[in-house]
């Protein structure tokens, strides 16, 4: 498997037509396997289903009869309360304002570095790629103290941040996401770009096309499948971020939804029904993205590891 | 098997290719590589280096002029006189061993089962992978309503089965780490399963057929043929497992009540956060802890980089 890459193209997901070396499938074994896998799958869904069940029951009902009881009425009231009482729409909007620029920035930056590393033969290419890849593997806690101080030192104009600092501003969160996530995307995209034959760009070089044109008009459009996979994966990761916004945003009102959820917990921690509803509401965007773009999501995860 | 062979230029053509880059091209490349590189340096690598520097100082985190060089004092203090440190190291090790010995092999097992030609594979796969899509904070909240001592699912089932005292799963220092580990394993299994499934899809079925012809049973085929042949994926999985165990933070933070480290649940990542954020910040201390974490992580990172880039350097 020397430097091979499984492209996330549709073709790679199709199953092999021939059964593998297990001989013809025996009916008895198949049933056993279905029982095993079905049981495990159901077990895996229990926590999520329990959260759904809890969130659908009115607080009074569970307070009177206990949580492990038959429902005496099901309603969406907890969802509407969590939505309206804790300002969730506002926090969702914060998440959107962080996630979209951060994903676009990450993809653009990492595409540029990947383009350079994979299409030009400079001496430091491998070192550069390793440098980016390793950056993504550093634990966030190792960076946080100096980053926190740095954010307190960098002034921003008032129209960008009402703290007048990079600290406590959406810009700061976007910046760290881009810098931190670039490593993974560069790694994946450079593998992907190597699968594009050099002749394609070399032909355009011979024709006298400048490098920027190669990048924007040839390489970027050809990477569309990899972009789709990475965009799906990164939007879920960045949306799900907890640590950066907890450490680098001071004003609760500016936090994205995932870390704002912690406030909801503090406010309503005696009402698990409401917390369940809040947690599920928070998870809805990622679940929707996952179900709609499952193939992209998984290939995004696995093109990073399909190489060895 | 459908991997595309990467086009690598043959060495002679590399040398023969003349530099056709004009000045405009050079400026363009410098800008598009320079900006991300600068961002990476400023936001990631310089802070990491600065953490190393700060770990040799004594600083309350307020005025930069108060920074005093104290040499190895923080490290000496942490190793000998900081009560939560060794429990945290121990818990990180427990976390790693648990994750490496239970959810990781289980994920591999599930991937191997799902790779057979059976129906509903997609449904099973989706159900087991679903927790991976949720944020660790949301996972924390979901498990909180399971572990809640008064009205959680677990105690509800146990009291229904006749157990008397409600168990405080997240409050008991002997239990809470394991409770959190179960929640974390719930998420980790699906991740490993998907990674391994991707590896299995690239596996040459002829090897399995040959093993079957030689009379190997399913387990022998897996242990002697499939597993060794998937070494690249195994290494990725090892790195993912080590890194996730070192980084563990969000889920512990949420299940610990959002107040930093709790007895029984101390982890290095939480101790760092305790020391650098909050009322009385001990930046030097926190940084020294961060460096301990960094050194351990770098071992894993280097192993990964060596494995990944070895072939290309030649």
């Amino acid at each position: 498997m020397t430097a091979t890459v499984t492209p996330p193209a549709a073709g790679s997901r199709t199953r092999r037509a021939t059964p593998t070396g297990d001989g013809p499938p025996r009916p008895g074994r198949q049933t056993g396997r279905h029982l095993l896998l079905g049981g495990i799958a159901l077990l895996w869904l229990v926590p999520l289903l329990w959260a759904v069940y809890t969130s659908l029951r009115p607080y009074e009902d569970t307070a009177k009869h206990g949580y492990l009881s038959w429902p005496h009425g099901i309603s969406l009231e907890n969802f509407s309360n969590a939505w309206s009482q804790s300002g969730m729409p506002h926090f969702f909007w914060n998440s959107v304002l962080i996630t979209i620029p951060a994903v676009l920035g990450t993809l653009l930056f990492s595409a540029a570095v990947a383009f350079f590393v994979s299409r030009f033969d400079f001496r430091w290419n491998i070192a550069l790629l390793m440098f980016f890849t390793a950056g993504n593997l550093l634990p966030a806690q190792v960076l946080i103290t100096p980053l926190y101080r740095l954010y307190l030192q960098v002034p921003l104009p008032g129209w960008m941040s009402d703290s007048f600092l990079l600290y406590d501003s959406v810009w700061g969160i976007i910046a760290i996401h881009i810098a931190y996530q670039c490593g993974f995307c560069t790694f994946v995209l450079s593998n992907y770009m190597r699968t594009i034959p050099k002749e394609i760009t070399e032909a355009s070089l011979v024709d006298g096309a400048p490098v920027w044109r190669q990048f924007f008009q040839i390489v970027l459009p050809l990477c569309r499948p990899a972009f789709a996979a990475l965009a799906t994966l990164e939007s879920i990761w960045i949306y799900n971020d907890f640590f950066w916004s907890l450490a680098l945003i001071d004003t609760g009102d500016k936090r994205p939804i995932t870390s704002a959820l912690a406030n909801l917990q503090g406010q309503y921690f005696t009402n698990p029904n409401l917390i369940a509803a809040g947690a599920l509401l928070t998870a809805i965007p990622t679940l929707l993205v996952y179900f709609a773009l499952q193939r992209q999501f998984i290939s995004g995860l696995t093109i990073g590891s399909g190489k060895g | 098997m459908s991997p595309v062979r990467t086009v690598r230029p043959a060495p002679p053509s590399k040398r023969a290719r003349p530099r056709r880059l004009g000045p405009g091209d050079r400026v363009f490349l410098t800008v598009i590589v320079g900006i991300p590189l600068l961002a990476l340096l400023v936001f990631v690598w310089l802070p990491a280096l600065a953490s190393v520097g700060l770990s040799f100082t004594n600083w309350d985190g307020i005025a930069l002029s108060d920074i005093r060089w104290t040499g190895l004092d923080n490290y000496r203090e942490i190793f000998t006189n900081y009560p939560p440190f060794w429990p945290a190291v121990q818990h990180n090790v427990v976390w790693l061993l648990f994750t490496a010995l239970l959810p990781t092999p289980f994920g591999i097992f599930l991937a191997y089962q799902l790779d057979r030609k059976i129906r509903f594979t997609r449904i099973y796969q989706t159900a087991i992978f679903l927790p991976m899509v949720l944020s660790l904070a949301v996972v924390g909240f979901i498990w909180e309503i399971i572990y809640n001592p008064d009205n959680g699912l677990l105690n509800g089932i146990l009291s229904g089965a006749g157990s008397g005292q409600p168990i405080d799963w997240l409050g008991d220092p002997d239990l809470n780490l394991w409770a959190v580990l179960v929640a974390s394993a719930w998420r980790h299994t699906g991740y490993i399963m998907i990674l391994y499934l991707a590896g299995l899809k690239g596996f040459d079925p002829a090897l399995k057929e040959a093993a079957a012809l030689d009379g190997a049973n399913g387990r022998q085929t897996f242990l002697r043929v499939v597993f060794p042949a998937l070494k690249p994926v195994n290494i990725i999985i090892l790195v993912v497992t080590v890194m996730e165990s070192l980084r563990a933070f969000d889920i512990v933070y949420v299940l610990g009540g959002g107040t930093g480290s709790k007895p029984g649940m101390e982890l290095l990542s939480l101790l760092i956060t305790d020391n650098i954020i909050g009322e009385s910040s001990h930046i030097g201390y926190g940084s020294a802890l961060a460096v301990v974490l960094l050194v351990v992580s770098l071992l894993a990172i280097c192993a990964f980089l060596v494995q990944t880039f070895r072939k290309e350097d030649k």
Side-chain angles (χ1 to χ4, degrees):
Chain A
M1 291 265 293
T2 313
T4 53
V5 171
T6 312
S12 70
R13 309 297 306 173
T14 50
R15 309 268 318 170
R16 290 187 294 273
T18 51
T20 51
D22 302 309
R26 276 172 282 161
R29 268 190 105 143
Q30 291 289 50
T31 315
R33 194 163 288 140
H34 278 297
L35 279 176
L36 178 78
L37 289 170
I40 293 166
L42 202 65
L43 189 69
W44 243 247
L45 285 176
V46 164
L48 211 53
L49 293 176
W50 178 249
V52 173
Y53 181 58
T54 304
S55 68
L56 286 173
R57 302 179 65 189
Y59 182 64
E60 298 72 34
D61 178 22
T62 49
K64 198 170 159 204
H65 299 98
Y67 280 82
L68 204 72
S69 61
W70 292 111
H72 297 78
I74 288 280
S75 77
L76 292 174
E77 205 185 329
N78 290 312
F79 287 95
S80 61
N81 285 347
W83 180 260
S84 57
Q85 286 173 18
S86 56
M88 280 186 99
H90 173 73
F91 294 120
F92 267 120
W93 181 239
N94 288 350
S95 282
V96 171
L97 286 182
I98 290 171
T99 308
I100 291 178
V103 171
L104 292 178
T106 306
L107 290 183
L108 185 69
F109 275 15
S110 47
V113 179
F115 172 68
F116 179 76
V117 168
S118 63
R119 312 303 287 184
F120 298 90
D121 292 311
F122 283 97
R123 192 191 297 175
W124 299 104
N125 272 358
I126 297 290
L128 194 67
L129 184 55
M130 284 169 98
F131 195 59
F132 270 86
T133 311
N136 182 243
L137 292 171
L138 293 174
Q141 285 83 11
V142 174
L143 323 175
I144 193 62
T145 311
L147 202 63
Y148 175 79
R149 298 306 302 188
L150 178 75
Y151 273 40
L152 285 173
Q153 300 299 317
V154 177
L156 283 185
W159 61 269
M160 286 173 84
S161 155
D162 55 24
S163 63
F164 294 92
L165 291 172
L166 200 53
Y167 179 70
D168 202 22
S169 86
V170 167
W171 300 87
I173 299 296
I174 295 173
I176 183 62
H177 277 312
I178 293 179
Y180 198 61
Q181 295 296 336
C182 243
F184 177 77
C185 293
T186 303
F187 179 66
V188 171
L189 282 171
S190 71
N191 287 342
Y192 193 87
M193 286 183 191
R194 291 214 179 120
T195 65
I196 301 172
K198 284 225 163 179
E199 289 74 22
I200 294 181
T201 43
E202 274 174 2
S204 80
L205 261 189
V206 173
D207 291 346
V211 171
W212 64 265
R213 181 164 275 183
Q214 264 186 60
F215 178 60
F216 286 110
Q217 293 187 342
I218 301 171
V219 175
L220 287 193
L222 284 173
C223 286
R224 208 172 290 150
F227 283 133
L230 285 175
T232 313
L233 192 64
E234 290 291 334
S235 9
I236 291 186
W237 278 353
I238 292 175
Y239 175 89
N240 279 345
D241 161 64
F242 186 70
F243 183 74
W244 296 125
S245 49
L246 197 72
L248 298 173
I249 291 194
D250 188 39
T251 316
D253 215 31
K254 291 182 193 166
R255 290 211 170 126
I257 183 82
T258 324
S259 54
L261 193 64
N263 293 354
L264 184 71
Q265 183 201 23
Q267 257 174 298
Y268 299 105
F269 83 111
T270 49
N271 187 342
N273 311 50
L274 199 67
I275 292 174
L280 290 171
L281 280 175
T282 307
I284 283 177
T286 54
L287 292 175
L288 285 180
V289 168
Y290 175 61
F291 281 119
L293 303 166
Q294 199 173 14
R295 183 191 288 167
Q296 274 81 357
F297 183 83
I298 289 177
S299 59
L301 262 184
T302 53
I303 44 178
S305 69
K307 181 186 174 304
Chain B
M1 195 177 171
S2 63
V4 177
R5 195 144 283 276
T6 310
V7 180
R8 300 289 294 165
S13 77
K14 202 190 233 173
R15 228 170 289 124
R17 198 149 61 91
R19 286 267 156 266
R20 294 192 201 87
L21 295 178
D25 293 338
R26 281 169 188 278
V27 169
F28 174 73
L29 283 177
T30 311
V31 170
I32 65 164
V33 176
I35 294 173
L37 188 60
L38 199 68
L40 182 75
L41 280 172
V42 170
F43 291 105
V44 177
W45 283 104
L46 287 181
L49 278 179
S51 272
V52 178
L54 282 174
S55 74
F56 298 110
T57 68
N58 182 4
W59 189 30
D60 58 5
I62 298 166
L64 287 169
S65 57
D66 284 346
I67 298 185
R68 296 275 174 280
W69 191 261
T70 57
L72 291 170
D73 277 5
N74 289 322
Y75 291 94
R76 202 173 299 132
E77 188 80 6
I78 284 172
F79 287 123
T80 58
N81 198 17
Y82 184 52
F85 177 70
W86 290 111
V89 171
Q90 195 191 333
H91 295 155
N92 268 102
V93 172
V94 169
W95 193 294
L96 177 62
L97 289 178
F98 177 89
T99 313
L101 295 178
L102 282 168
T104 302
F106 190 51
I108 292 175
F109 168 78
L110 289 176
Y112 195 60
Q113 295 301 323
L114 286 168
D115 193 46
R116 320 284 182 100
K117 267 193 74 69
I118 53 169
R119 292 172 68 202
F120 310 128
T121 300
R122 205 48 175 272
I123 298 174
Y124 300 145
Q125 201 179 309
T126 304
I128 297 165
F129 187 68
L130 208 53
M132 190 59 205
V133 180
L134 308 174
S135 84
L136 280 162
V138 169
V139 170
F141 288 111
I142 288 177
W143 281 85
E144 197 163 69
I145 55 176
I146 290 177
Y147 286 137
N148 192 304
D150 302 321
N151 46 35
L153 175 66
L154 204 51
N155 277 352
I157 293 173
L158 286 177
S159 73
S163 153
Q165 282 288 321
I167 300 170
D168 189 359
W169 296 99
L170 295 170
D172 185 339
D174 293 329
L175 281 179
N176 51 14
L177 185 70
W178 301 101
V180 176
L181 281 172
V182 168
S184 150
W186 182 59
R187 205 165 176 268
H188 189 75
T189 304
Y191 192 12
I192 299 301
M193 178 190 78
I194 291 291
L195 290 180
Y196 210 74
L197 210 47
L200 286 172
K201 280 189 207 295
F203 183 78
D204 187 355
L207 280 173
K208 265 173 140 186
E209 272 152 30
L213 280 180
D214 288 345
N217 62 28
R219 205 182 47 185
Q220 285 170 328
T221 310
F222 178 75
L223 288 177
R224 305 259 173 85
V225 180
V226 179
F227 191 76
L230 289 179
K231 193 178 161 223
V233 182
N234 294 337
I235 286 180
I236 300 272
I237 284 178
L238 191 68
V239 172
V240 163
T241 304
V242 173
M243 294 310 296
E244 298 266 305
S245 307
L246 291 174
R247 287 173 172 196
F249 175 82
D250 312 33
I251 195 168
V252 196
Y253 188 86
V254 172
L255 284 176
T259 51
S261 60
K262 266 177 85 174
M265 291 205 277
E266 296 97 342
L267 288 174
L268 286 174
S269 61
L270 283 161
L271 291 190
I272 299 171
T273 315
D274 281 353
N275 276 291
I276 56 183
I277 300 169
E279 303 297 303
S280 58
S281 42
H282 304 285
I283 301 290
Y285 240 69
S287 304
L289 287 164
V291 171
V292 174
L293 187 60
L294 176 69
V295 169
V296 186
S297 310
L298 280 177
L299 294 178
I301 294 174
C302 288
F304 169 73
L305 291 178
V306 165
Q307 165 67 25
T308 312
F309 292 103
R310 193 172 39 195
K311 285 155 191 157
E312 300 185 21
D313 254 348
K314 282 178 189 166

